[in-house]
Amino acid sequence: MSIHKRIRFVGAVIALSLITGSALASSPSDFQKLLVDPKAFDAKRVTLVGIADVYGYGFFLYERALRDGKPDFSRSVFVVDKPNRTLPSELDKHWVKVTGQVDARAGGPYGTEPCEIKLDHFDALPIPPLKERRTFGIFRNDTSSPVIFKISGPDGYSTSKLGPSAKTIEGIDDKNTVVASTPAGTLIAKSSISSRSVGKYFDPINRTYYYRITNGKIELVSPTEGKAWLKGHNAIP
């Protein structure tokens, strides 16, 4: 079914007032309140405006865009649609109004989101979509000991502690440096990666690369192997 048949467009004036109103309000928006305390909204029906990032039969919903026009990837929830239906890729990076029920016990396909929204319906707003399409990397610790993982790029860096077989999902840019160290600071592996590298290691449906951290290496693995790591996470086919 085409996006034109599935989406009901609403008026531009209403759409813009929803977006700018939440951005300029002196009190926190419902989206901001949900991000801070999702348990307070558990099992409640909410309506949110944000940027859709389509992922399988669901999508990440970002609260806002940054000044450079990219979504603010640190502020999002995961919206779950029906398992047997893939959302149209044309929706990707569009502003949408979403209505659904909050599940504060669920954390999205990787368990990293503050909550999930069980989708009732959505409206695509008649506002130009963002041009940015995010590429992700999933990194798994395949050593027998905890590692400190750090990824650096043009916009800064993030770190996380990964136990054996633990995973982290990170947005990757044109140029990133990834480092794995012991908790004491001893280097295990270091590598340069890029979102521009395409080919057999790229998962085009989820726009994801999969990396294994071993002693001395941070190496790409095939999407088939990488998806097998994520059994039980419902957004991976």
Side-chain angles (χ1 to χ4, degrees), residues 4 6-19 47-49 95-99 121-127:
H4 302 290
R6 288 204 53 222
I7 298 176
R8 301 191 308 277
F9 285 91
V10 299
V13 174
I14 296 174
L16 286 170
S17 67
L18 283 166
I19 294 169
T47 297
L48 306 173
V49 170
W95 284 96
V96 295
K97 183 172 73 170
V98 169
T99 298
H121 66 269
F122 64 86
D123 298 307
L125 305 181
I127 300 169

Side-chain angles (χ1 to χ4, degrees), residues 38-119:
K39 290 182 179 179
F41 291 82
D42 191 38
K44 294 181 179 180
R45 196 166 182 261
V46 297
T47 297
L48 306 173
V49 170
I51 305 161
D53 186 4
V54 176
Y55 186 96
Y57 66 80
F59 55 90
F60 293 92
L61 184 70
Y62 298 104
E63 179 203 11
R64 62 188 184 188
L66 300 175
R67 289 183 179 180
D68 61 3
K70 297 180 182 179
D72 183 351
F73 297 107
S74 67
R75 301 178 63 83
S76 64
V77 297
F78 192 70
V79 180
V80 182
D81 199 11
K82 296 180 180 179
N84 61 350
R85 180 171 64 190
T86 299
L87 289 166
S89 60
E90 294 93 335
L91 183 66
D92 194 50
K93 295 300 178 292
H94 273 269
W95 284 96
V96 295
K97 183 172 73 170
V98 169
T99 298
Q101 187 179 55
V102 176
D103 184 353
R105 296 165 296 175
Y110 306 110
T112 56
E113 301 304 297
C115 64
E116 290 184 0
I117 308 294
K118 295 180 180 178
L119 182 65

Side-chain angles (χ1 to χ4, degrees), residues 110 138-141 162-163 165-169 226 229-230 233:
Y110 306 110
I138 296 177
F139 301 83
R140 190 174 86 155
N141 176 14
L162 304 177
S165 299
K167 300 169 288 293
T168 181
I169 176 173
W229 299 344
L230 303 170
H233 291 292

Side-chain angles (χ1 to χ4, degrees), residues 17-236:
S17 67
L18 283 166
I19 294 169
T20 57
S22 95
L24 299 177
S26 57
S27 59
S29 69
D30 284 346
F31 206 145
Q32 292 169 334
K33 293 176 183 177
L34 177 64
L35 290 168
V36 171
D37 187 11
K39 290 182 179 179
F41 291 82
D42 191 38
K44 294 181 179 180
R45 196 166 182 261
V46 297
T47 297
L48 306 173
V49 170
I51 305 161
D53 186 4
V54 176
Y55 186 96
Y57 66 80
F59 55 90
F60 293 92
L61 184 70
Y62 298 104
E63 179 203 11
R64 62 188 184 188
L66 300 175
R67 289 183 179 180
D68 61 3
K70 297 180 182 179
D72 183 351
F73 297 107
S74 67
R75 301 178 63 83
S76 64
V77 297
F78 192 70
V79 180
V80 182
D81 199 11
K82 296 180 180 179
N84 61 350
R85 180 171 64 190
T86 299
L87 289 166
S89 60
E90 294 93 335
L91 183 66
D92 194 50
K93 295 300 178 292
H94 273 269
W95 284 96
V96 295
K97 183 172 73 170
V98 169
T99 298
Q101 187 179 55
V102 176
D103 184 353
R105 296 165 296 175
Y110 306 110
T112 56
E113 301 304 297
C115 64
E116 290 184 0
I117 308 294
K118 295 180 180 178
L119 182 65
D120 290 338
H121 66 269
F122 64 86
D123 298 307
L125 305 181
I127 300 169
L130 304 188
K131 295 181 179 180
E132 170 75 5
R133 297 199 73 198
R134 191 64 158 170
T135 299
F136 297 96
I138 296 177
F139 301 83
R140 190 174 86 155
N141 176 14
D142 271 6
T143 73
S144 58
S145 302
V147 303
I148 304 300
F149 176 83
K150 179 178 180 179
I151 179 167
S152 305
D155 298 325
Y157 69 91
S158 66
T159 61
S160 54
K161 184 176 182 179
L162 304 177
S165 299
K167 300 169 288 293
T168 181
I169 176 173
E170 305 286 347
I172 58 177
D173 302 301
D174 290 349
K175 186 176 181 180
N176 292 102
T177 300
V178 290
V179 177
S181 307
T182 67
T186 302
L187 180 66
I188 297 172
K190 181 177 181 180
S191 181
S192 295
I193 64 172
S194 173
S195 60
R196 292 185 177 182
S197 302
V198 295
K200 65 178 182 180
Y201 292 109
F202 186 57
D203 173 1
I205 295 175
N206 299 311
R207 302 194 312 282
T208 298
Y209 291 98
Y210 304 87
Y211 298 85
R212 176 192 294 118
I213 302 169
T214 63
N215 289 314
K217 290 183 180 180
I218 300 173
E219 58 185 2
L220 282 162
V221 302
S222 70
T224 300
E225 182 176 349
K227 287 179 183 181
W229 299 344
L230 303 170
K231 295 292 186 180
H233 291 292
N234 57 15
I236 300 292

